[in-house]
Amino acid sequence: MSNVLVFLHSNYLQHNAGVEKVVLEQEHLFREKGFDFFAICPIPQVKLIFGQHLPLPTKEYLIIKNGKEEKRCSMSELAECVLKITWDAVIIHHLKNYSNRTILLSVLKTLSDRSPIFIYIHDFATICFNHVLMKKGIYCSKKKIGTSFSKCCDCKFYLFSLLDHRFYKRLFSYINFSGIIFPSDVIYKIWHTAYPNVPEKSCKIIPHQKFSQDQARWEYTDVHEVKIAYVGYASPEKGWTFWKLLTTKLEGIMQYRFFVLGNTNETIPNMLYEPVSFLKSGKDAMVNALKRNNIDIAVLWSRCPETYSYTFYESYISRTFIITSVESGNIAHMVKKLRCGKVFASEMDCLRWLKDVKQVQDALNEFHKNNLYRPIELIPNDEIMEIIKTMS
């Protein structure tokens, strides 16, 4: 039996987020090809200190085998367990919340000497403890990527970042990775400025999904009532604050209807809410919600660079017109590349555009005329599995 070992930062069977979706899709892909799929994640402990939820040292780790929780163990027990198994490959997705990092580094080094080992760069956690690179609600790395005293000394994450960055520098110098994997060229370019000494030949761009070759033709109809949706998890870095401003400023425009497709604990009046979860409804849950509600415009206003963005690709194949910020990373890049929306320099520019209803309707009608075809579905990318098979 072939075995694959995965490290990540949370239980992918319970958490409805991007990294967890990648791991869940990989579990299905590997198991379909006859692999046993093992995943390890910390069981985090958090304490409220001075109004901040801060992580405590992790004492226990969870081992998941083929989609079922198998057992809990300490780091030393975990080391003993994983080192006695022969692995076809080891994949690191995330190392947030791992304690006992001296033991962890030793384990990863031993595993790398025995098996191909890969690491995914899903976010900016290898650069800063605050994985979205935001300081006081603003993206803080426009001019300089990385941790420095002059830029970061007044940031609440600075001391944690110093410790984290020391660990990750050792990790990338200590272990000869078979591949450092980035889901987009956008994150690769940002990340490589912080790790310029990592050889480019070690880095691979592998998007999480592929478009199906089969396409569907959409019927063209003129847009009169415009359905505008916030898509995804409601958080400030994803644009929730701007969404609340947007719906307030546009309140009273009769041609607009507002939707929230995703998960939020906050309710705004005069809005349709639909919780969306790939854990409950499958990998196409958001695509189905967008199509079912006939959404015309998806608001993907990330305030820091997105490294991939499932919601972008889900919105794209649902033929929604996407509006986003110039700071949204891979979203802005793909909107421009695929000509599937508008990228705005500021919130005020976006609001001015939306207030002109006829301009919006004309833009949507033109968009629909020029986009009659879309891929039928998004397919999980199996490229990493193919790479591993060639190395076995």
Side-chain angles (χ1 to χ4, degrees), residues 90 92 95 104-113 115-119 167-180 198-199 202:
V90 177
I92 299 171
L95 295 177
L104 175 63
L105 195 61
S106 176
V107 169
L108 294 175
K109 173 59 177 170
T110 303
L111 290 171
S112 71
D113 291 338
S115 309
I117 185 168
F118 302 84
I119 185 169
F167 166 74
Y168 286 114
K169 283 183 70 175
R170 288 179 65 199
L171 180 74
F172 288 110
S173 62
Y174 199 45
I175 294 177
N176 183 23
F177 285 103
S178 303
I180 303 172
V198 173
S202 302

Side-chain angles (χ1 to χ4, degrees), residues 115-246:
S115 309
I117 185 168
F118 302 84
I119 185 169
Y120 273 79
I121 307 299
H122 289 287
D123 55 28
F124 302 106
T126 52
I127 296 174
C128 177
F129 182 82
N130 182 12
H131 67 279
V132 295
L133 297 183
M134 293 186 75
K135 179 179 175 182
K136 299 177 181 178
I138 299 172
Y139 177 55
C140 62
S141 297
K142 290 181 182 178
K143 295 181 179 179
K144 183 178 181 181
I145 303 296
T147 305
S148 68
F149 181 80
S150 60
K151 180 169 73 101
C152 307
C153 63
D154 61 340
C155 178
K156 63 184 179 182
F157 300 111
Y158 182 48
L159 293 178
F160 294 106
S161 296
L162 288 178
L163 294 172
D164 268 10
H165 195 53
R166 184 183 303 169
F167 166 74
Y168 286 114
K169 283 183 70 175
R170 288 179 65 199
L171 180 74
F172 288 110
S173 62
Y174 199 45
I175 294 177
N176 183 23
F177 285 103
S178 303
I180 303 172
I181 299 171
F182 303 83
S184 70
D185 189 56
V186 170
I187 184 174
Y188 166 69
K189 289 177 179 176
I190 295 174
W191 186 88
H192 210 259
T193 62
Y195 290 92
N197 296 325
V198 173
E200 290 188 24
K201 65 180 181 180
S202 302
C203 302
K204 305 178 189 297
I205 312 295
I206 303 179
H208 299 321
Q209 300 161 294
K210 301 182 289 186
F211 293 125
S212 64
Q213 291 188 351
D214 293 332
Q215 294 195 334
R217 190 183 192 281
W218 291 67
E219 294 300 320
Y220 170 74
T221 54
D222 280 338
V223 173
H224 300 288
E225 181 184 65
V226 180
K227 297 180 178 180
I228 306 174
Y230 178 95
V231 182
Y233 178 71
S235 66
E237 64 267 21
K238 299 291 186 183
W240 182 249
T241 305
F242 175 58
W243 172 254
K244 291 191 289 185
L245 173 67
L246 180 154

Side-chain angles (χ1 to χ4, degrees), residues 300-303 323-329 331-332 342-345:
L300 305 180
W301 201 268
S302 293
R303 302 187 64 193
I323 60 177
T324 191
S325 162
V326 70
E327 294 181 338
S328 65
I331 298 176
K342 285 183 73 69
V343 179
F344 292 94

Side-chain angles (χ1 to χ4, degrees), residues 7 40 61 63 73-85 87 103-104 106-108 110-111 114:
F7 290 84
I40 293 166
Y61 299 83
I63 298 177
C73 55
S74 66
M75 175 59 80
S76 57
E77 292 168 337
L78 178 64
E80 182 180 353
C81 180
V82 300
L83 292 177
K84 68 182 181 184
I85 298 175
W87 303 102
I103 298 175
L104 175 63
S106 176
V107 169
L108 294 175
T110 303
L111 290 171
R114 299 175 180 177

